[in-house]
Amino acid sequence: MARANLDWENLTFGYRKTDCNVRYTWRDGQWDDGVLCEDENIPVHMAATCLHYGQECFEGLKAFETRSGDVVVFRVDENARRMVASCRKILMEPPPEELFIKAVRRAVNANRRFVPPYGTGASLYIRPLVLGISPQVGVKPATEFLFVVFVTPVGPYFKTGFKPVDLLVEEFVDRAAPLGVGDVKVGGNYAAGLRATVAAKQRGYTEVLYLDAKEKKYIDESGPANFFVITRDGQYITPQSDSILPSITNKSLITLAEELGLRPQRRSIAVTELPDFAEAGCCGTAAVITPVGSITYRDQKIVYSTDGEAGRWTSVLYHKLRAIQLGEEPDRYGWLTRIDPD
Ligand code: PLP
Ligand code: COI
């Protein structure tokens, strides 16, 4: 099938209609066989638990065309597992890992013409979600669930691409509480942070950096991504916290950092330590690796990049990760799953 006619090099990170999505329903104690559906709308009962009580979670992963022309997805098994954790935490029926992977294959294959060509910098973003769909008025879990996977071709999350961004340390809004749901990918976490992100953008910052909600002393993560720093003596450090999302990109960078001799470590990072580091970055599926040019904390601006470019180790990590995703380097850790045409 001919590839879709899109301006692949200039795609933004936004929703774009593709050919179809895939939907499975949990009812009477089982998942059905799922359907491929052209409709972009979901009929939802007005008393569904996803609408009132936030029984919703989602995932984000990417498919790429490799240098040799294969279509691959990156670490789909990890996203499958994380969706199980998200569902369990808010008492939803988790799609089993095999079903998750099958649904991703189906959605990608049904939209193969939207997989961006190798070399364009774009990717096919895959967005699985689970919703509580049965009606409840009392605060109770749903008994029926909808599992949807849609895809959309995307460019960089931050419009500058691989260029340093400016972050603002957020002191007045918490994204997630210590014993709350910050460690799973539920929609409410993003709703909680919207007002912080919008206000920061109005002040000219790219995103916020949240502090731990209890003490306001330690860095948690950014709105849409995890956070890491590189020390002056070349060490990769990323926050240890129970209220951040366990990022699959970060987990991958820790592996690559180890390989590169960066002695990766997860530990609490005090906000007062920020001036001591050589480089800082955000990482996530959408953000990939985004170098951080500056972080503003109260009236102090800590600058990591003065020339508008990423630091040395941030660049090395970025290019290594991208090379693996695009099949330019051997997939030594088995991170890629090939999606063969049906
Ligand atoms: N943190 C938050 C709040 C996110 O939304 C994401 C995106 O998924 C990440 C971190 C990065 O996670 P991953 O690398 O698995 O995409
Ligand atoms: C992702 O990186 O996949 C995410 O879900 C982040 C989102 C805020 C776009």
Side-chain angles (χ1 to χ4, degrees):
M1 190 186 289
R3 193 153 349 219
N5 183 20
L6 298 178
D7 182 6
W8 302 105
E9 273 90 1
N10 294 306
L11 289 179
T12 56
F13 192 89
Y15 177 76
R16 186 177 283 274
K17 187 178 179 346
T18 57
D19 288 335
C20 46
N21 53 83
V22 57
R23 303 168 182 199
Y24 296 80
T25 304
W26 169 270
R27 188 170 286 139
D28 301 329
Q30 57 182 4
W31 288 104
D32 67 11
D33 293 335
V35 284
L36 276 172
C37 191
E38 286 177 21
D39 195 346
E40 294 166 276
N41 298 296
I42 298 170
V44 185
H45 192 288
M46 62 186 172
T49 62
C50 63
L51 298 180
H52 298 257
Y53 303 129
Q55 257 201 322
E56 184 273 351
C57 70
F58 65 100
E59 269 305 325
L61 65 159
K62 280 176 172 171
F64 304 91
E65 183 179 76
T66 64
R67 183 160 65 183
S68 59
D70 289 334
V71 173
V72 297
V73 285
F74 185 70
R75 305 200 78 171
V76 59
D77 50 331
E78 291 281 345
N79 292 92
R81 275 198 283 278
R82 192 169 63 188
M83 184 159 247
V84 171
S86 297
C87 287
R88 290 213 170 116
K89 194 143 190 184
I90 58 166
L91 303 189
M92 300 202 294
E93 182 64 31
E97 285 172 38
E98 316 77 70
L99 179 65
F100 182 100
I101 295 168
K102 188 172 165 187
V104 165
R105 278 186 190 279
R106 243 174 128 176
V108 171
N109 258 339
N111 295 288
R112 263 184 111 86
R113 68 192 190 95
F114 290 97
V115 178
Y118 168 76
T120 56
S123 54
L124 188 73
Y125 186 68
I126 304 165
R127 177 50 72 84
L129 60 152
V130 176
L131 307 173
I133 53 168
S134 52
Q136 297 285 6
V137 181
V139 182
K140 277 184 268 186
T143 54
E144 292 179 6
F145 298 92
L146 186 67
F147 168 44
V148 180
V149 182
F150 72 80
V151 300
T152 187
V154 296
Y157 187 73
F158 296 117
K159 62 177 182 299
T160 43
F162 188 63
K163 291 284 179 204
V165 297
D166 299 306
L167 302 183
L168 174 67
V169 175
E170 173 58 63
E171 289 193 87
F172 306 104
V173 172
D174 291 326
R175 167 188 174 273
L179 299 178
V181 289
D183 61 339
V184 291
K185 208 162 166 60
V186 299
N189 290 335
Y190 299 82
L194 273 179
R195 69 196 192 286
T197 298
V198 169
K201 285 189 176 158
Q202 277 165 356
R203 292 174 59 193
Y205 299 100
T206 318
E207 253 297 347
V208 296
L209 204 48
Y210 291 106
L211 295 178
D212 75 286
K214 194 170 176 187
E215 295 192 80
K216 296 278 192 290
K217 277 190 189 161
Y218 303 100
I219 305 290
D220 256 356
E221 64 175 328
S222 180
N226 270 189
F227 178 74
F228 67 88
V229 294
I230 307 285
T231 61
R232 293 192 204 283
D233 66 347
Q235 193 184 1
Y236 180 101
I237 305 179
T238 191
Q240 174 71 55
S241 164
D242 290 340
S243 46
I244 63 177
L245 193 74
S247 157
I248 296 158
T249 312
N250 200 359
K251 188 174 178 184
S252 310
L253 294 183
I254 288 171
T255 302
L256 299 179
E258 184 79 61
E259 195 186 309
L260 292 163
L262 294 175
R263 298 164 288 136
Q265 191 186 10
R266 286 189 198 267
R267 67 157 170 87
S268 300
I269 300 179
V271 65
T272 50
E273 285 183 84
L274 288 176
D276 302 341
F277 302 122
E279 298 176 38
C282 290
C283 61
T285 298
V288 192
I289 295 180
T290 301
V292 172
S294 76
I295 301 179
T296 301
Y297 176 54
R298 300 188 174 161
D299 52 7
Q300 186 188 11
K301 184 169 179 178
I302 302 135
V303 176
Y304 297 103
S305 166
T306 47
D307 60 359
E309 297 299 331
R312 170 175 170 230
W313 285 115
T314 306
S315 287
V316 169
L317 286 165
Y318 173 82
H319 290 296
K320 198 160 176 65
L321 178 70
R322 294 284 294 156
I324 295 171
Q325 291 176 331
L326 297 173
E328 297 164 351
E329 264 202 27
D331 176 22
R332 196 174 305 167
Y333 304 103
W335 288 343
L336 306 182
T337 300
R338 203 173 68 206
I339 310 272
D340 291 326
D342 288 332

